[in-house]
Amino acid sequence: MSVLEPQDYFRLRLPSDPQISPDGRYVAYVRDRPDVIRDVWCSDVQIFERKSGKAQDLGQGFQPRWSPNSDQLAFVGGEDDTNEIRLWSVATGETKAIANLPSTPEGLAWSPDGRTIAFVMRAPQAQPAQTDKRTAPAWHGLRTERWARPGQYTERLLRRIEGVDAELLPEGHHQIFLLDVESATIRQLTVDPFEHGGPLALVTKLKLAGHISWSSDSRNVIMSMLRDPTPPGPVNPANVVAADVYSFSIADGAVTRLTRFGGTIAHATVSPDGEWIAFVGSRGSQKSFRTNVVHVMSRSGGNLRTLTHPDGLEVHQELLWLPDSSGLLALVPHEGAGCLQKVDLEGRWTVLSREVGGSAVSGYVLWSKFVSVSRDGEIAILHGSSTRTDEVAILSVDGTHCQQVTHESDWMSNITVAPIEPMWLATKLPMQAWLIRPADAPADKPLPLILWLHGGPYLCWGPHFAVVPQLWAARGYAVLMMNPRGSLGYGEAFTDYLEHDFPGADDLMIADAVDLVVKRGGIDPDRVYIAGESAGGVLTAWLIGHTRRFAAAAVVYGVVDWISQTLLQDRPDYFAYRWRSGPPWEAGKHEVYWRHSPLALVGNVQTPTIVLCGERDWRTPVTQSEMYFTALKMCGVEAALVSYPDNNHGLERHPSQFLDFSERIGEWFTRHADAGELP
């Protein structure tokens, strides 16, 4: 047996998007894996026949979706820049391409009659709305191929989006397309200047458009989206997320508006019997965070009612109807557990499983998790574990039986994984946490401790296997992962503690929580370190500006100045009006922004700090990290800066850089093993 080593990262085979066939015979899923040659993540489509155990690799691809009668599987396939819609045949076991597209399709959805596949794809604008209208000067005629590129001209407020590699978003809008399966012909259904999907439809954790649902008679497709024209003038924060549900006629593309909700709607989905439409969303006063709940209405848009969770928990947007239309399946985080729950049309909730996995890379509960259901009610899930990465499993209708059907983590049978101890920390606001200690370390051996703070801040850790803390444990560290105020899974009141107060004075209780863990024993009080990513990076910079409790710190793509952050990140139209209740130039707002900015405290910092960031991060731009590093150095603090070219928020684009980030932090803390000082 051996401990987890960095090179083991390239052995990861992570199942995602499990899709059980309607007849229950097959399960298709996507296998995500790091490619050691190209240093990128790749995705392959896999098929597993449950009775025989036979598996088949369909090659690179994603979005596997079964036809209604289970005889074909559609998926997006292709290598490099190829974007094909392919069909795999159950009868022949062969795959063929039926569409070669100019850009990546999303939201693949079969019509109930099996004749058509709907999808969303970017369509170029016939006449670009924004061009540099000036007459080209005469000197432009001197241009040669060696000249620098001309300046990029735009009039768009939203010009780049986190996770999109383009320096400027291309012109055009994401539209709905229809692919006739038999003839392989494609028709563009929508032509209006609205985003029917794509990156601009994603606002924080909700995708307002892109999910396609068919009416039971195959005559219409249903989608929730923002379709009201944006008026000229100042940004109206209500318009940014004001989505509604629309019906699109397949015959002529006619659009019918079904709701005037007055809030946020995502993932509108028609029931199998065609009687109901369900969606997740919220409405009410403008807040930093609004808990999303399930709503159900009649197919025509009337009789809207809300199915709130009895514990006030956040419901993820990937709703799925039960095959008999009696209720819905929903993913709900609860106290670190990834829960699959059922809710009937009367609003009664039932827990079917508390073992849906988290991200093996990031560690986040329910991160990018999906489920699917057969006609008989069997459910394909991603089953999580504290000692292994996720596996695809089939859950019985009542949740009493769970059968694992994949073995992607079998290689880990020879890896000794550090055990995870759950605990509740009795601070002023009790917080749930998990302590990871090296497997061979006696309970009373004083170990160095890394406090690892999550991002979001409206996300949460859980007790599942995650690479980063396990690699640190393999280096001899204990790792404390806690869910401070604002984390999901503890009810709406817990998230409301952050309302326009992040970071704030109450976040200093995180240091109190660390001391409670130290007092339990087995931790060296002089070798306590702190690291956090994104919102956790904000908290890290905030805490070392208030206390010298930590021997060293790592601020990973954090935010230190809310004024510049709000105006330089990818969604200023959202963050300026939700997180801070208004832009920084409004009366009194400048002082509020600065009061919550860790940069205001940099003169107090004495903790040796390493700052890490991706150069293509549009959510917490690299300028935030550069400013903080510069300020630390100017204040005489021992500091280092690591910036990763061609990497985004999360640093997961290139496996080598992700490993480097975790290694750099461990090395920095080892270097400062004796620098700690109690307050």
Side-chain angles (χ1 to χ4, degrees), residues 324-344:
D324 62 0
S325 302
S326 63
L328 297 121
L329 299 173
L331 295 173
V332 181
H334 180 233
E335 296 184 353
C339 298
L340 174 66
Q341 300 198 22
K342 177 176 67 175
V343 57
D344 65 22

Side-chain angles (χ1 to χ4, degrees), residues 54-66:
K54 180 181 178 182
Q56 186 170 345
D57 185 344
L58 302 187
Q60 288 191 30
F62 55 97
Q63 288 189 73
R65 296 295 181 267
W66 289 101

Side-chain angles (χ1 to χ4, degrees), residues 362 364 425 431-433 450-457 459-461 468-469 472 479-485 487 502 507-511 513-514 529-544 550 553-557 661 665 669:
S362 68
Y364 292 121
L425 302 174
M431 290 183 285
Q432 190 178 23
I450 299 176
L451 169 63
W452 181 221
L453 296 171
H454 69 66
L459 293 170
C460 54
W461 295 136
V468 171
W472 289 338
V479 183
L480 179 65
M481 303 171 70
M482 70 170 65
N483 286 339
R485 66 186 191 125
S487 301
F502 178 76
D507 290 314
L508 301 182
M509 73 177 76
I510 293 173
V514 171
Y529 309 96
I530 182 171
E533 62 175 11
S534 193
V538 178
L539 289 174
T540 299
W542 183 253
L543 285 162
I544 63 175
F550 303 100
V555 176
V556 188
Y557 41 87
F661 121 75
I665 293 175
F669 292 161

Side-chain angles (χ1 to χ4, degrees), residues 10-306:
F10 289 97
R11 302 173 69 183
L12 292 176
R13 299 294 183 266
L14 305 179
S16 64
D17 200 5
Q19 297 292 318
I20 188 170
S21 59
D23 61 8
R25 180 181 171 189
Y26 289 91
V27 178
Y29 65 97
V30 177
R31 175 196 287 156
D32 298 317
R33 57 181 175 82
D35 187 322
V36 71
I37 303 299
R38 295 186 294 163
D39 196 22
V40 295
W41 279 86
C42 294
S43 299
D44 306 313
V45 175
Q46 308 291 313
I47 290 182
F48 179 85
E49 186 177 20
R50 295 174 63 191
K51 184 176 181 179
S52 68
K54 180 181 178 182
Q56 186 170 345
D57 185 344
L58 302 187
Q60 288 191 30
F62 55 97
Q63 288 189 73
R65 296 295 181 267
W66 289 101
S67 62
N69 61 3
S70 304
D71 65 339
Q72 297 184 97
L73 180 80
F75 64 98
V76 180
E79 295 73 30
D80 299 325
D81 295 329
T82 304
N83 294 292
E84 295 180 341
I85 295 181
R86 298 176 178 175
L87 290 181
W88 176 80
S89 169
V90 170
T92 66
E94 297 179 348
T95 303
K96 66 177 180 179
I98 60 171
N100 193 346
L101 305 171
S103 59
T104 305
E106 63 176 90
L108 265 63
W110 286 84
S111 60
D113 61 15
R115 298 177 179 177
T116 308
I117 298 173
F119 61 92
V120 171
M121 183 176 65
R122 188 182 68 84
Q125 254 172 224
Q127 296 180 343
Q130 300 172 17
T131 58
D132 194 341
K133 299 180 177 63
R134 65 175 184 166
T135 302
W139 59 267
H140 278 205
L142 302 175
R143 177 176 293 277
T144 73
E145 62 182 15
R146 297 188 178 183
W147 280 32
R149 291 187 303 164
Q152 292 183 295
Y153 178 89
T154 185
E155 297 178 12
R156 292 178 293 174
L157 171 63
L158 306 182
R159 55 198 180 276
R160 54 184 178 236
I161 292 294
E162 171 55 35
V164 178
D165 295 332
E167 292 183 15
L168 288 179
L169 290 175
E171 296 283 356
H173 298 280
H174 282 73
Q175 306 286 359
I176 301 174
F177 291 82
L178 303 173
L179 170 61
D180 184 278
V181 175
E182 183 175 354
S183 66
T185 56
I186 297 174
R187 175 166 69 97
Q188 183 174 334
L189 181 65
T190 61
V191 295
D192 301 316
F194 302 111
E195 291 297 327
H196 299 76
L200 282 172
L202 182 64
V203 181
T204 63
K205 61 188 175 58
L206 274 182
K207 193 164 189 179
L208 304 182
H211 174 75
I212 298 172
S213 183
W214 285 84
S215 62
S216 58
D217 59 8
S218 299
R219 295 181 178 180
N220 299 274
V221 294
I222 309 300
M223 178 181 286
S224 50
M225 61 178 294
L226 195 162
R227 200 175 167 83
D228 289 330
T230 302
V235 169
N236 181 342
N239 291 344
V240 174
V241 294
D244 277 290
V245 182
Y246 296 86
S247 177
F248 301 85
S249 169
I250 299 302
D252 57 9
V255 183
T256 303
R257 184 172 187 161
L258 300 182
T259 63
R260 293 192 179 274
F261 186 66
T264 305
I265 290 177
H267 212 82
T269 305
V270 184
S271 61
D273 63 8
E275 296 295 320
W276 306 99
I277 295 176
F279 58 85
V280 296
S282 64
R283 55 183 170 182
S285 60
Q286 184 175 304
K287 295 174 62 176
S288 299
F289 178 86
R290 292 206 62 88
T291 298
N292 287 294
V293 298
V294 180
H295 301 266
V296 176
M297 64 183 186
S298 64
R299 168 65 180 83
S300 62
N303 303 314
L304 179 67
R305 60 184 186 274
T306 304

Side-chain angles (χ1 to χ4, degrees), residues 644-659:
Y644 293 98
D646 192 37
N647 218 323
N648 305 102
H649 194 67
L651 300 180
E652 295 181 21
R653 178 177 173 82
H654 298 295
S656 67
Q657 294 179 349
F658 187 82
L659 286 175

